[in-house]
Amino acid sequence: MTHREILEALAGLLAALFTALLSSTIVAVALPTIIADLNGTQTQFAWIITTALLANAASTPIWGKLADLFNKKLLVQSAILVFVAGSIIAGFATNVPVLLAARVIQGIGMGGLTALVVAVIGSIIPPRERGRYSGYMGAVMAVSMSGGPILGGIIVDSPLGWRWCFFISIPIAVVALLLLQRTLHLVTERKQDVSIDWLGAALLTAGVSVLLIWVSFAGKAGYYEWLSWETLVYVGAGVGLLAATVVVESKVADPIIPLKIVTERTTALAIVASIAVGVGMFGATAFLGQYFQTARGYSPTAAGLLTIPMVLGMLFASVVSGQLITRFGRWKPFLVLGAVLQVVGFGLLGFLDHATPMGLIGVYIAIVGLGTGMLMQNLVLAVQNTVSVRNIGAASSSVAFFRTFGGAIGVSVLGSILATRVTTLSADGFAALGIDTASAGGGGNLDLAALPEPVAEIIRHAYGDATGLLFLVAAVIALVTVAAVVFIPNRPLRKTIDIVTEGKVPAPAEQ
């Protein structure tokens, strides 16, 4: 393909990727309004994020296997159609269960787009030329991450309403579909020895889902206590399913999670660090928009603008650290510094309450952004530096896979902690006013406009004071990231495409 043909095809691919990334960020600041309109609860708030992340993570390796069997262009277009179907259902949802089902469908489409776009780019652009096009992908990621929350806030505050947070991705997806049909021409090179590990994927998703359900409802009024027979059943079933996953993955020819790769020291430690990064990045930060709106009374648009320091920190750290690593060939100091910055940022946010100055919050979340930006792609770089070219796809996708699952776990766990803490603080506030806690709902109602002002103020203060606890938990988890990256072997970045066998001198082409 010529440079012009690649750019034309790339336009369709990046438009498809943009819709997937936008759908993740545009909904964040709209969720408080959505939950209030659909009469949802804090637990459902967390699950609207979690379901999409779970479906995304679980479907990504399956889409990757399908790419080895069928035409990649057709698969990308299929993923776009799945995503559009989920977006339409979400936009017309009349209750939270329907919205959750739509988010699962969206997540499956998002998993396909994020996996297949990278695979197609690898199929049409040689590695030596790929660098000149990587800037376009970086720009798309930057616009979707920074512009999504702002656009979501503007839509929610406009006459269009929150439903257009889902509808707005549809025209972009249709344009991507048409562009790909016209510009992308791929020859299918089907690999005969590829099989899809459906059983492993099902067991892994089921095991994690059971544990997430347990965490979401444990300790809540009307459900079950943390120490109870229900907890024993849920935890036993979840751990049993994950143990069965390990057994299956050790025996199948093409496992979803290749154990030989993920148990290698560098990859294993990078996965541990990525899970912790996912918990912090998706989990703690998912509730920032809710804090700004529910606890501080900002509009959705303003809430989106207030998250910009974190996004700018991520972009600055990822770009600058990448340039410095390329120049000096040293990567580990950036990983350690990023992990430490995450601990510091989350630790400072642990002192958050309903009256913390907004300027300080901006500084704190910028520190979190700097740390996350140094970690995300550089963890993948560390893994890719230690594996053969044949295994780079599996190793890289494993890191991303566990990071997304870590995000799903983080949202669910931290959402459960927030709901429990808000209920306790609200009950204390209601008792001080002589209000019956049962009739007030314990802070479960997020439609503050429908509540009497004294009750709404108690709930706002409860959310503001409870959010700090989330970031303290995230700071503790970030300590795991520090420990993991410290023990990752500090191997020099290789100058060859593949690993050079001992005693073999690489040819000029390999160099």
Side-chain angles (χ1 to χ4, degrees):
M1 297 177 68
T2 65
H3 176 62
R4 179 176 178 177
E5 289 172 338
I6 289 175
L7 286 179
E8 290 175 346
L10 204 60
L13 290 169
L14 294 183
L17 184 63
F18 180 75
T19 59
L21 296 173
L22 186 68
S23 70
S24 300
T25 57
I26 197 173
V27 176
V29 296
L31 275 179
T33 304
I34 295 171
I35 288 295
D37 190 44
L38 298 181
N39 297 315
T41 65
Q42 178 61 46
T43 298
Q44 291 172 327
F45 178 101
W47 269 95
I48 289 174
I49 304 170
T50 302
T51 48
L53 287 174
L54 265 177
N56 186 339
S59 63
T60 296
I62 296 175
W63 284 106
K65 294 291 186 182
L66 290 173
D68 290 334
L69 295 171
F70 304 105
N71 185 276
K72 292 183 180 66
K73 172 181 174 179
L74 182 62
L75 286 172
V76 172
Q77 291 175 316
S78 300
I80 291 174
L81 292 175
V82 171
F83 175 80
V84 167
S87 300
I88 292 173
I89 297 172
F92 285 110
T94 55
N95 54 55
V96 175
V98 172
L99 181 58
L100 290 175
R103 291 289 286 169
V104 170
I105 298 172
Q106 271 193 314
I108 293 172
M110 288 158 56
L113 292 174
T114 51
L116 295 168
V117 166
V118 176
V120 172
I121 288 175
S123 300
I124 65 174
I125 305 173
R128 185 166 181 170
E129 299 293 326
R130 209 169 295 162
R132 67 188 296 196
Y133 300 100
S134 62
Y136 301 121
M137 183 176 292
V140 166
M141 294 179 69
V143 171
S144 63
M145 288 179 65
S146 59
I150 300 171
L151 180 60
I154 293 172
I155 291 173
V156 171
D157 286 336
S158 73
L160 293 174
W162 63 263
R163 296 183 185 276
W164 275 89
C165 288
F166 298 104
F167 291 145
I168 197 167
S169 297
I170 298 173
I172 306 173
V174 171
V175 169
L177 194 71
L178 297 175
L179 281 172
L180 290 172
Q181 181 61 33
R182 177 176 169 272
T183 62
L184 185 61
H185 307 288
L186 291 174
V187 177
T188 303
E189 296 180 4
R190 179 167 178 167
K191 299 178 181 178
Q192 300 298 326
D193 58 344
V194 173
S195 60
I196 300 175
D197 179 21
W198 296 107
L199 179 58
L203 288 171
L204 180 62
T205 306
V208 174
S209 298
V210 167
L211 293 176
L212 288 176
I213 292 170
W214 163 63
V215 168
S216 296
F217 299 109
K220 291 189 175 64
Y223 292 98
Y224 46 85
E225 297 298 323
W226 287 100
L227 296 177
S228 62
W229 69 266
E230 290 95 342
T231 289
L232 183 62
V233 170
Y234 276 114
V235 174
V239 172
L241 287 166
L242 293 179
T245 304
V246 174
V247 173
V248 170
E249 298 301 271
S250 65
K251 295 183 178 180
V252 295
D254 286 306
I256 290 289
I257 304 295
L259 297 181
K260 289 184 179 179
I261 295 175
V262 300
T263 53
E264 191 272 331
R265 181 179 173 185
T266 297
T267 308
L269 290 170
I271 285 173
V272 171
S274 292
I275 293 174
V277 168
V279 171
M281 183 178 67
F282 291 108
T285 57
F287 299 100
L288 272 175
Q290 186 180 18
Y291 169 81
F292 290 137
Q293 294 176 67
T294 305
R296 305 305 294 265
Y298 286 97
S299 68
T301 303
L305 291 170
L306 288 169
T307 61
I308 287 180
M310 184 176 65
V311 175
L312 291 179
M314 288 176 60
L315 293 175
F316 176 81
S318 60
V319 171
V320 173
S321 66
Q323 293 289 335
L324 293 175
I325 288 171
T326 301
R327 178 175 297 181
F328 299 109
R330 300 186 58 174
W331 52 270
K332 188 166 181 176
F334 295 99
L335 282 184
V336 176
L337 178 60
V340 170
L341 285 174
Q342 264 206 338
V343 174
V344 172
F346 285 139
L348 291 171
L349 285 170
F351 296 99
L352 203 67
D353 60 26
H354 67 276
T356 304
M358 297 306 299
L360 280 180
I361 296 175
V363 173
Y364 297 164
I365 65 176
I367 294 172
V368 172
L370 288 170
T372 305
M374 290 186 190
L375 284 168
M376 285 182 60
Q377 294 305 316
N378 293 331
L379 282 170
V380 178
L381 173 66
V383 170
Q384 291 178 341
N385 187 52
T386 61
V387 298
S388 167
V389 166
R390 298 190 308 273
N391 298 322
I392 274 183
S396 304
S397 62
S398 295
V399 174
F401 175 83
F402 281 103
R403 184 173 62 221
T404 306
F405 262 121
I409 294 168
V411 171
S412 186
V413 171
L414 297 179
S416 178
I417 293 172
L418 180 64
T420 303
R421 184 64 177 155
V422 166
T423 300
T424 302
L425 293 175
S426 298
D428 294 342
F430 294 147
L433 289 180
I435 299 174
D436 182 10
T437 303
S439 64
N445 186 358
L446 297 184
D447 188 4
L448 300 185
L451 298 174
E453 182 54 34
V455 175
E457 184 176 358
I458 288 173
I459 294 177
R460 276 196 293 269
H461 288 185
Y463 271 95
D465 297 340
T467 303
L469 179 61
L470 300 189
F471 292 110
L472 280 180
V473 174
V476 173
I477 297 171
L479 289 172
V480 177
T481 307
V482 175
V485 298
V486 164
F487 288 105
I488 291 179
N490 190 13
R491 297 179 183 175
L493 293 175
R494 65 176 186 246
K495 297 181 180 180
T496 55
I497 293 175
D498 207 347
I499 295 175
V500 180
T501 306
E502 187 176 353
K504 176 190 173 184
V505 179
E510 288 179 305
Q511 290 278 12

